[in-house]
Amino acid sequence: MSTSPRRFPLLIAALLGVVVLGLAFLGLRPSRAPTVEAAAPAASAPGAGRTITHAQGSTVVAPHPKQVLVFDLAALDTLDALGVEVRGVAGEYFPGPLAKYADAKKYPRFGTLFEPDYEAVHAARPDLIITGGRTSARYAKLAAMAPTIDQTTDDAHYLDTVVGNTERLATVFGKEDQARALIGGLRQSIEALKGTTSTRGKGLIVLTSGGRMSAYGPGSRFGVLHESFGIPPAAPSLKASLHGEAIGSEFILETNPDWLFVIDRDAAIGEGGGAQRLLDNELVRQTTAWKQGQVVYLDPADTYLIGGGIQSVRRLLEQISDAYAKPRQPPAP
């Protein structure tokens, strides 16, 4: 059968219409350019959190955590400086600068610094748990219950760790500006102190506890006095062990420091304190430090309990700066 030229376009149009209807019937559609959404690469889901690296690995932490449990006084000290509120704390003793956390109604207890109350932690459903120091050994069990970061200080790199811990918490809570101000002020004060301490003689750090004494040198838990504050060590070969090296008054006399820095552990934990009575003896009285009135009893809370917090380090620095700023005493006869 023949088809006239005038009817041919109409036939073609009809056939195309049939094809389009057929595709629609089969659920197929002519190809289209992909939408922007379909072509975009996969992105993190909103609110998924960010990975935070810390002393015991890395942890994904949700943005702006609110239910925060803290098991470390140094971390609590830094959080307080950053203006971060916490849901609960551990322990019963909150010395001077942390006294507000003694209010158990406002800051409920979740165990001690050595032994968390796991049932209470589980019931609280925290967004974030912060461990460090005395609680670091419980990290794994707590991390199995909720996102946990560990703020333990590295004694061999003390000041760097304090700065790093402050920056980490600032990142978690969006407090970067406050952290920069705190760290900048601390570094500036340290540089000023080093200009004084480096030329004022050698120092020895002694911790007293229960009538016994131990000495600490560079790289130890109190070595920041030497490494960062610039005080030359009177006993540079002391081992950097956690509990220091056991000594007697004879060692102090043989070392003969120009400055004697004393940490009274008994006073730190609320058990009186007998450092001054222990050191006031014939041997120690013969040292340069004693004769020149350069025996400095460091704040026991800031050194022994809260050491490593950004505020405690600043207070320690200020105490030592004040000691060096006092007029020198003439040697005792």
Side-chain angles (χ1 to χ4, degrees):
M1 186 175 64
S2 65
T3 304
S4 71
R6 193 173 56 182
R7 296 177 59 188
F8 184 78
L10 295 175
L11 180 60
I12 294 300
L15 289 172
L16 288 174
V18 171
V19 170
V20 170
L21 289 174
L23 290 172
F25 178 78
L26 294 172
L28 301 175
R29 292 183 180 179
S31 62
R32 298 172 56 191
T35 63
V36 173
E37 292 78 12
S44 299
R50 61 193 307 174
T51 300
I52 301 296
T53 302
H54 52 86
Q56 297 204 41
S58 59
T59 300
V60 176
V61 178
H64 311 296
K66 299 295 184 186
Q67 300 294 317
V68 181
L69 306 185
V70 184
F71 290 85
D72 179 56
L73 292 181
L76 194 61
D77 179 73
T78 300
L79 290 169
D80 185 61
L82 294 173
V84 175
E85 273 296 328
V86 303
R87 167 73 171 80
V89 294
E92 295 295 334
Y93 183 49
F94 298 90
L98 302 180
K100 72 177 186 181
Y101 297 100
D103 183 351
K105 292 183 179 178
K106 187 173 183 180
Y107 302 102
R109 303 293 186 270
F110 288 84
T112 71
L113 294 176
F114 296 95
E115 194 59 45
D117 183 340
Y118 295 108
E119 290 187 10
V121 172
H122 177 74
R125 304 183 65 180
D127 301 323
L128 177 65
I129 299 172
I130 301 175
T131 63
R134 296 168 178 85
T135 320
S136 61
R138 304 290 182 262
Y139 169 82
K141 194 166 183 178
L142 289 168
M145 304 173 72
T148 303
I149 61 175
D150 187 67
Q151 294 281 97
T152 297
T153 303
D154 180 356
D155 293 336
H157 306 89
Y158 189 88
L159 188 61
D160 288 342
T161 309
V162 171
V163 169
N165 285 350
T166 302
E167 292 175 334
R168 180 181 304 114
L169 292 178
T171 299
V172 170
F173 295 98
K175 300 285 185 176
E176 290 88 348
D177 290 344
Q178 293 89 331
R180 276 192 287 273
L182 290 167
I183 294 168
L186 181 64
R187 289 195 186 283
Q188 190 174 15
S189 298
I190 287 176
E191 287 305 312
L193 177 62
K194 287 167 67 175
T196 300
T197 56
S198 60
T199 60
R200 294 283 299 277
K202 298 179 180 179
L204 178 66
I205 307 167
V206 171
L207 180 142
T208 66
S209 177
R212 299 182 298 276
M213 292 189 285
S214 52
Y216 294 80
S220 71
R221 60 192 296 190
F222 308 119
V224 64
L225 272 67
H226 299 307
E227 294 142 0
S228 299
F229 294 175
I231 300 170
S237 60
L238 288 169
K239 294 180 180 177
S241 61
L242 177 62
H243 300 292
E245 283 196 35
I247 63 165
S249 296
E250 295 82 359
F251 178 84
I252 298 176
L253 176 58
E254 293 170 2
T255 305
N256 191 24
D258 300 294
W259 295 83
L260 182 58
F261 300 97
V262 183
I263 302 162
D264 191 334
R265 178 184 176 276
D266 296 337
I269 60 176
E271 294 184 357
Q276 295 190 36
R277 189 169 55 254
L278 182 63
L279 290 167
D280 189 3
N281 60 62
E282 184 178 350
L283 298 178
V284 177
R285 285 192 221 111
Q286 296 180 48
T287 63
T288 300
W290 189 278
K291 290 178 180 178
Q292 295 192 346
Q294 294 181 162
V295 178
V296 183
Y297 294 90
L298 299 175
D299 186 293
D302 282 332
T303 50
Y304 188 77
L305 293 179
I306 319 175
I310 189 74
Q311 295 186 106
S312 71
V313 174
R314 179 181 54 76
R315 289 189 295 266
L316 177 61
L317 183 149
E318 290 173 349
Q319 186 184 6
I320 294 175
S321 297
D322 290 344
Y324 276 78
K326 291 180 180 177
R328 293 186 181 184
Q329 295 184 14

